[in-house]
Amino acid sequence: MSKPFNLTAHFETKGLVQRVKAFETLDAVKMNQLQNLIHDALISTNNVQHCAIVRRKDCNVRASSVGFNLYPDQVQMLLDAFKNPPQTREEGVYFDDGQYKCVRADKNSIYGKCIEANEILHTAKLHL
């Protein structure tokens, strides 16, 4: 935790623009670590095809698997699904041009099975 403060203090004497660059660099490093985590822990297992890590407080996609774009309206729809699990269980989830029948939904996770294809949708509040 001391590294960000050291970098900020180092750049502070050189002006605001330099300080912003320091934070952008740190943010890029964190995003690269998240990208590596996604690949190493999920994609490389061949059990997960696409995934993303989203920061809940601002719906910002922090990292995603290669070629997977999660748009703000999709993020918001997934977050909204956690607000009413009974409704999510009843109606399912429409995501990425597919209707997913809800297999399980509670305050922590949502599991869905695609009606048209043999695909599973899993989202966890911990990750969002």
Side-chain angles (χ1 to χ4, degrees), residues 39-57:
H39 183 269
D40 295 345
L42 297 171
I43 300 298
S44 66
T45 66
N46 292 324
N47 293 322
V48 175
Q49 186 177 15
H50 301 292
C51 58
I53 297 175
V54 177
R55 187 169 50 197
R56 277 187 288 178
K57 71 177 182 179

Side-chain angles (χ1 to χ4, degrees), residues 85-97:
Q87 181 180 357
T88 301
R89 282 192 292 272
E90 185 178 312
E91 296 176 3
V93 176
Y94 186 80
F95 181 77
D96 203 25
D97 295 329

Side-chain angles (χ1 to χ4, degrees), residues 60-72:
N60 186 14
V61 177
R62 303 300 291 162
S64 64
S65 55
V66 176
F68 182 57
N69 296 316
L70 197 57
Y71 300 103

